[in-house]
Amino acid sequence: MRKTRPSKEDKIRLTVDLSKPFYNRLEQLERFVEAGSKASLIRQALQLYEYVAKRAAEGCDFRIVDKNGREEKVVLLDLS
């Protein structure tokens, strides 16, 4: 199924001032994850952040498991 593109009326332009180091990090991450554009990268990041925030609010915690099976708790948000 083909996605329909939002019309111009459905979009809102957002202007953001970024420091040069932050912009460089954004560019590096865009290339690393092959996002295709900074807008796409930001949309993907927001979807992930929203999911994590909702799950954290439900009491879930997050862990990283390395290739050797070692676990480390990850604290991403302080929702207290």
Side-chain angles (χ1 to χ4, degrees), residues 22-80:
F22 187 87
Y23 184 80
N24 290 339
R25 288 174 56 202
L26 191 64
E27 284 188 315
Q28 289 172 352
L29 187 56
E30 177 189 359
R31 286 190 301 273
F32 181 73
V33 301
E34 299 176 352
S37 71
K38 287 169 200 60
S40 178
L41 174 66
I42 291 168
R43 280 192 296 275
Q44 292 172 30
L46 183 58
Q47 288 173 334
L48 176 61
Y49 191 84
E50 180 181 29
Y51 173 80
V52 168
K54 286 179 179 179
R55 296 305 308 250
E58 294 168 357
C60 294
D61 65 345
F62 299 88
R63 300 182 187 278
I64 296 291
V65 180
D66 70 16
K67 63 184 175 185
N68 297 317
R70 289 181 298 222
E71 280 190 27
E72 178 182 341
K73 186 173 180 179
V74 179
V75 179
L76 300 170
L77 303 170
D78 182 9
L79 297 176
S80 53

